[in-house]
Each structure stands twice: as C-alpha cells, then as structure tokens.
Amino acid sequence: MKLTDEEKAMRAGSLGAAKRWAIDHQIKVGRMFDAADMVPVSQAHMMADPEALGEAGVDFLEGLAGQGGRVAVPMITDPRGVDLDHYRPLGQTEAMADLERRTIAACTAMGILMTNTCINYQTVMPPVRGDHVAYGDTGVVIYANSACGARSNFEGGPSALAAGLTGRTPRYGLHLEENRRATRRFRVEVQPRDLTDWGLLGALAGKTAGSYWEVPVIEGLEAVPTSDQMKHLGAAMASFGSTPLFHLAGITPEAGRLEDVGGGALTPEPLTEEMIDALRARFGAAGDKPDVVVFAAPQLSLVEMQQVAELCRGRRMVVPLIVCTAPQVYPDAARMGLVETIEAAGGTVLQGTCFYNQFAREIGEAKGWKRLLSNSAKIVNILGGYGYQPALASMERCVESAVAGEIVG
C-alpha cells in the first residue's frame, strides 16, 4: 500500500505504540482487500460492549490506554452491554458490570466519547454525502451509506478502533465509487405502513440480495420514509442480508434517478405482499404468550418514545416491557414525562444499551424469558440465536399484547 510520511512514522512507532499497532492492523486489512492507500475519515464509531469484548478484549483496550493511545478524530461508541442503573433487576451480574466499568474507563482514557448509541445519525453528528467515516454497527453503516450518502465499510471492533487512533481507514469497498452502483433492482408491490412493515421490507430485500457485496436499488415506493422508517428498513436489511448500502430510487441522495446508480440496466425483481407475509409468519402468531416485550434494535428516537408512551398511558402491563433508548434521547424523554408514563404502566426504560448486546442469553436464563415479542424485524432475526423464540408485531400490538398477556390479533 502507498503510505504517507505520517503513516510511515506511525508504522515506525514514532507516534507511539498504540498508533503503531493501529496502522499495522490497517495495512494488513488493506492488503487483504487490495486497497491502494488509506482515506482520511471524519469520525469513527466502535462496537465495544463487554459481551462482545470479553475479558481479553477489555485487557487489550486497557493495554492501548496504558500505552498512551489517544484517538485522532471524534470517536463514539455503540450501545453498552450494561445500564449501570438497572443491571441487577435484569439479572445481570457484578462481573458483567465490572467489565462494563473497565471498558468505559479504558475508552475514556483514549479520548473516546461514550455516546452509547446505534442512532448516532439521529442524535450526535450525522455524516453528510461524500463524508468518509469508519463505523462499526451494521445499522449505523447502512443508514450512513444509504440515507446520508456517506462512505463506510462494516468496520470490525479492532478496525474501528484503529481508524479512531489513526484518523484513516483502508480505501476499499464502499469508499470507492465503483462499488456503490446498484447490482440488484427490486420493485415494491405493497406499500409499507408502520415501522414493522418497513423492517419487513428491508428484511426481504436483504435476504433476497444475500451478500455484503450486493447493492440493492428499490423502486415503487409511493412515499418518502421518515428517519425512523428508514432506520428500521436499513437495520433489518443489514441484519438479514449483511447489506451495507441500498438506494431508494428518487429518494436517497445518490439515486435521484434510477439511472444514476445504474438501476436502469438491471432486471426488476418483485417484492410481493405474499413474500412479506411469508416472512412475517415465521415470527409468532396471535394467541402466543410472550414472556417479555422489547422495543430496541435500533434504539428508540424521541418520536418513537412518544409513540410508546401514548400507547402506555393509563394502561397496566402484565408482561414485562423493556424500552431501550439513546442517552441523548433519554433526558428529553424524561423532561417531557414520556419515561414516567412508560414506567407508570409497568415498563422499564434503559438508556445506552440495546437488548441483544447486553448479555441477552444470560438475562433470558436469569429471568426465565424465552418467548420475546418486538416490533423490530432486526431483533427477531438476531435473538433466535440467543435461545429465544421471537415474535413480531406492530408497536400498537406489542403494547396491547403486554397488557393482555398474549399476542393480540
């Protein structure tokens, strides 16, 4: 790879041991993907929850911090693994909390901003079109690439950290214009209505595309999605298909026209109501009795918090209801009485965590939870691998089901 003088100095160790590790790691990644050089990034976002890190990962972070490692660009974090105000009632252990505290200390020492959110594009600093970034969470990456027109690959934890330390990343994949052209053309034949419908549409498109290297362009939408709808669309597409980028013809920044992303030359493939119904039917049915209802993956925006609170107002849950939101959203939600309304109905609002990456398996075992209900297509796709029997329903049906004790039709 072609290196600048500064990158050569990093590799020689002139800028410290932490940056030497980081640039060496990036050179290895870049060579694997035939990157010609590095591209500067404006910000980095790292998944660093203690469940993913484990003891070895936290030791590694502490080692870099002890070597004087310091990030070179604004670097933020994905949801944490433990809400330190709520971990005991959830069945999380002191060992999990201690690992969380050590992670926070090491990251803070390196100048990492503990934003603890997967909706940083709604809350912290959304990237803009053409902005090169190094993001970790798949939902964050697909939203940044598709809705914002920024450029990022899926960065693994070490790679995102390396990008934060050096301020650059290998120039391959979606940092190159030629890899951002559409490779599959999907035509929507049924219009999504609520957030769950948007998630199911994303799930179907991702599952059909089925590869990190495929770039779907979707046509036929009759309305521009809101930020929350786009969030659920992208998060599910990334979850079901490992998809890091999609285009919506006439809507997303790079696809003002279908032809702008090469979609006109592709054969249209229908996404039908029957296909979406078949996918929906895999996840629960009316009459099933959930053990817990979860709103997470992605964390809830302030608008979603208001919607949940309005549905909870004056109600009383008989099934535990957990709501995960960002630390940037929580204070506003509390100030406006939304947190109080949800908790008065028996719900629990967690900030800075997301259900699936906060030791979900261990929580399920500790609480005896197996049948989980959510409005998120992403989370029901993930939690089957954590020992749950996940079910999917709209936000309204989720709340009604938590009140009724069974999934309502």
Side-chain angles (χ1 to χ4, degrees):
M1 291 179 66
K2 181 181 178 182
L3 300 179
T4 65
D5 289 343
E6 183 180 7
E7 289 157 0
K8 290 175 182 174
M10 290 185 200
R11 193 180 191 191
S14 303
L15 301 181
K19 290 189 190 296
R20 180 173 58 190
W21 164 80
I23 197 73
D24 184 62
H25 174 85
Q26 291 183 305
I27 290 170
K28 290 173 181 172
V29 172
R31 284 175 175 167
M32 185 172 72
F33 287 104
D34 296 326
D37 60 1
M38 302 282 178
V39 58
V41 295
S42 65
Q43 53 174 306
H45 174 270
M46 178 175 66
M47 293 186 70
D49 58 277
E51 180 180 1
L53 287 166
E55 285 277 349
V58 178
D59 289 347
F60 180 69
L61 285 179
E62 290 174 333
L64 288 176
Q67 293 169 348
R70 189 81 181 172
V71 294
V73 293
M75 181 156 194
I76 58 179
T77 55
D78 212 32
R80 313 296 322 134
V82 178
D83 181 335
L84 293 170
D85 293 328
H86 285 283
Y87 67 95
R88 291 190 184 94
L90 281 175
Q92 294 176 315
T93 66
E94 283 299 328
M96 296 172 186
D98 284 344
L99 208 56
E100 179 72 72
R101 295 185 186 100
R102 286 175 54 195
T103 304
I104 294 170
C107 288
T108 303
M110 288 190 279
I112 296 171
L113 298 166
M114 305 306 295
T115 54
N116 307 342
T117 183
C118 60
I119 57 169
N120 54 301
Y121 48 81
Q122 290 183 310
T123 58
V124 180
M125 187 165 66
V128 297
R129 182 174 181 176
D131 197 3
H132 290 273
V133 297
Y135 281 172
D137 180 290
T138 56
V140 170
V141 170
I142 194 170
Y143 192 101
N145 274 322
S146 310
C148 303
R151 280 99 174 92
S152 181
N153 293 310
F154 286 156
E155 298 275 8
S159 293
L161 177 59
L165 289 166
T166 65
R168 62 207 73 208
T169 195
R171 195 192 304 268
Y172 72 96
L174 296 177
H175 293 286
L176 302 173
E177 289 299 320
E178 61 265 31
N179 294 328
R180 302 179 67 85
R181 306 278 289 176
T183 62
R184 301 287 291 270
R185 177 180 172 185
F186 295 130
R187 179 172 293 159
V188 171
E189 294 193 350
V190 58
Q191 297 300 312
R193 294 161 299 182
D194 59 27
L195 296 176
T196 305
D197 287 347
W198 281 96
L200 281 166
L201 176 61
L204 180 59
K207 191 170 183 293
T208 306
S211 167
Y212 179 85
W213 300 107
E214 297 283 5
V215 179
V217 58
I218 299 174
E219 60 181 331
L221 290 168
E222 296 174 356
V224 176
T226 66
S227 177
D228 285 331
Q229 290 167 341
M230 187 79 87
K231 176 173 70 174
H232 279 262
L233 174 75
M237 200 183 306
S239 178
F240 279 79
S242 298
T243 308
L245 166 66
F246 64 88
H247 303 292
L248 302 183
I251 296 174
T252 50
E254 294 168 72
R257 299 173 305 152
L258 188 64
E259 293 73 19
D260 292 343
V261 291
L266 301 171
T267 302
E269 302 173 63
L271 300 179
T272 68
E273 185 171 11
E274 290 75 18
M275 295 163 75
I276 289 178
D277 287 344
L279 187 55
R280 191 194 308 268
R282 288 174 47 191
F283 299 105
D288 292 349
K289 298 184 182 304
D291 297 317
V292 61
V293 176
V294 172
F295 292 117
Q299 292 173 330
L300 273 65
S301 68
L302 187 61
V303 173
E304 290 174 290
M305 289 292 289
Q306 183 187 37
Q307 293 166 347
V308 173
E310 288 303 316
L311 292 168
C312 289
R313 189 178 302 281
R315 312 302 297 275
R316 190 65 195 171
M317 312 295 164
V318 299
V319 176
L321 184 145
I322 294 174
V323 179
C324 296
T325 192
Q328 300 80 34
V329 169
Y330 186 91
D332 274 350
R335 178 172 57 83
M336 297 176 191
L338 307 179
V339 172
E340 182 181 7
T341 300
I342 294 169
E343 295 189 339
T348 300
V349 179
L350 305 179
Q351 58 172 319
T353 63
C354 191
F355 190 83
Y356 79 88
N357 63 351
Q358 59 175 13
F359 302 97
R361 180 183 297 280
E362 289 81 356
I363 289 175
E365 292 171 353
K367 305 294 289 186
W369 294 340
K370 197 168 186 66
R371 290 163 297 184
L372 178 145
L373 176 64
S374 179
N375 75 329
S376 164
K378 173 179 178 178
I379 206 169
V380 300
N381 185 45
I382 293 172
L383 283 176
Y386 284 71
Y388 288 86
Q389 297 172 358
L392 184 66
S394 68
M395 181 185 288
E396 291 79 3
R397 286 180 60 209
C398 282
V399 172
E400 289 299 322
S401 301
V403 172
E406 65 177 35
I407 300 177
V408 299

